[in-house]
Amino acid sequence: MTNLIEIENLGFDYGDRPLLSAINLHFPRNKVVAVMGGSGSGKTTILRLIGGLLTPRSGQVRLAGEVIGKPGSTALYKQRRKMGMLFQHGALFTDLTVFENVAFPLREHTTLPKSLLHDLVLLKLDAVGLRNAAHLKPAEISGGMARRVALARAVALDPQLIMYDEPFAGLDPISMGVTANLIRRLNDALGSTSILVSHDVHESFEIADYVYFLSEGHIVAQGTPTEMMASTHPYVEQFVHGKAEGPVPFHYPGKSLARDLGMNEA
Ligand SMILES: Nc1ncnc2c1ncn2[C@@H]1O[C@H](COP(=O)(O)OP(=O)(O)OP(=O)(O)O)[C@@H](O)[C@H]1O
Ligand SMILES: [Mg+2]
């Protein structure tokens, strides 16, 4: 099977607010696939559905051909073991050293002997260039370094699937480039599949094999970064070229301002 993750006809609502409908996404093995879209379009929600933290209203999410288990099920626990996640607001444990932060998932999910665990953590830290920072606490490293530690922690268990939620947010251009390269290199070195959720066009296009654009609950465009750069689709054009005017809504959906101010709508 070439696809590690297959999402078929997925629908999801938060309460009575419809968010996603008829979503189809394929994530082939060994590829880096970007899911892009404006703020509030549902990108993090898709990652939560893949991680089994949320259950679809309709349709399916499959990992290696098996439907993602229900929350709390043994099936889901086993599936989670194959996933690594870099959370959008995921902070490191502030009381633990860099070393202990990366060791955490290994202690949680494995019973490796101490010396092997030690070596594995150092190898992961080496891969992100921070082996010599192992003894530091999160407060003693920069934001860009913290992101790399979080990356090392996300891949500690050599996951088949790595999900990155806004890995470039808040980084300077150099750290962004370093992080993007790392995402690609880790994916290729581990032979895993990466899902990159981001609204950073430049960095995402640089490393992604394929891109999906999400807007108003639907996939509105998809293709390789080269195809997307050349696309004349109004949404893609607006997004890729960062235009203020276009189909991407600025307002959270709901009543118009005129109605909120008690005026008659034209
Ligand atoms: N737990 C929740 N309960 C109710 N509504 C939620 C919940 N989480 C998210 N939402 C709503 O669902 C929509 C999609 O949220 P989501 O976090 O998936 O967006 P996103 O694409 O990741 O946005 P961003 O780029 O800002 O991170 C938003 O309008 C948000 O307000
Ligand atoms: Mg998000």
Side-chain angles (χ1 to χ4, degrees):
M1 179 176 305
T2 58
N3 293 321
L4 181 64
I5 295 279
E6 289 177 332
I7 296 183
E8 304 285 355
N9 199 26
L10 175 75
F12 180 77
D13 317 317
Y14 281 114
D16 54 9
R17 199 175 144 236
L19 183 63
L20 303 171
S21 64
I23 299 273
N24 293 299
L25 300 169
H26 290 170
F27 301 97
R29 288 176 196 270
N30 302 333
K31 301 287 186 198
V32 175
V33 178
V35 178
M36 312 197 71
S39 186
S41 58
K43 304 181 298 294
T44 298
T45 303
I46 289 179
L47 295 186
R48 287 192 195 130
L49 286 156
I50 295 172
L53 301 167
L54 297 171
T55 311
R57 162 178 52 76
S58 59
Q60 280 187 342
V61 180
R62 292 190 298 270
L63 169 72
E66 282 177 33
V67 176
I68 296 290
K70 292 266 177 301
S73 65
T74 330
L76 179 61
Y77 187 80
K78 284 192 187 142
Q79 287 167 326
R80 284 257 183 81
R81 173 76 174 68
K82 298 176 186 162
M83 304 178 190
M85 173 88 189
L86 187 84
F87 292 97
Q88 184 166 10
H89 306 290
L92 299 173
F93 301 112
T94 50
D95 294 345
L96 301 183
T97 61
V98 163
F99 181 95
E100 285 303 327
N101 265 283
V102 178
F104 193 86
L106 292 165
R107 295 198 201 286
E108 188 71 12
H109 282 278
T110 68
T111 51
L112 294 172
K114 210 175 159 198
S115 67
L116 187 55
L117 184 135
H118 174 265
D119 292 354
L120 266 179
V121 171
L122 289 189
L123 282 173
K124 294 297 171 196
L125 282 173
D126 194 60
V128 301
L130 292 176
R131 188 171 32 80
N132 291 316
H135 59 289
L136 298 175
K137 291 274 184 68
E140 297 166 318
I141 60 178
S142 73
M145 288 163 77
R147 194 67 54 83
R148 278 146 68 191
V149 176
L151 232 74
R153 186 174 63 182
V155 300
L157 290 161
D158 289 345
Q160 289 179 24
L161 175 70
I162 318 172
M163 296 187 271
Y164 298 97
D165 198 351
E166 301 291 355
F168 311 122
L171 297 181
D172 67 79
I174 295 173
S175 308
M176 260 195 200
V178 168
T179 306
N181 277 335
L182 264 177
I183 290 174
R184 183 77 235 187
R185 280 201 353 239
L186 287 172
N187 185 76
D188 297 345
L190 296 172
S192 47
T193 302
S194 299
I195 305 180
L196 170 61
V197 157
S198 174
H199 35 233
D200 198 289
V201 174
H202 179 75
E203 302 301 339
S204 305
F205 279 22
E206 197 77 11
I207 58 165
D209 296 300
Y210 201 79
V211 186
Y212 288 104
F213 280 96
L214 181 65
S215 175
E216 300 190 31
H218 301 282
I219 298 300
V220 291
Q222 57 181 289
T224 63
T226 317
E227 286 165 355
M228 293 296 100
M229 285 305 284
S231 171
T232 53
H233 187 290
Y235 179 89
V236 177
E237 269 204 311
Q238 187 190 357
F239 207 92
V240 170
H241 303 292
K243 296 180 187 162
E245 299 297 325
V248 179
F250 168 69
H251 288 286
Y252 185 86
K255 284 185 289 183
S256 70
L257 176 64
R259 264 193 59 199
D260 260 358
L261 299 180
M263 289 152 60
N264 286 331
E265 280 184 86

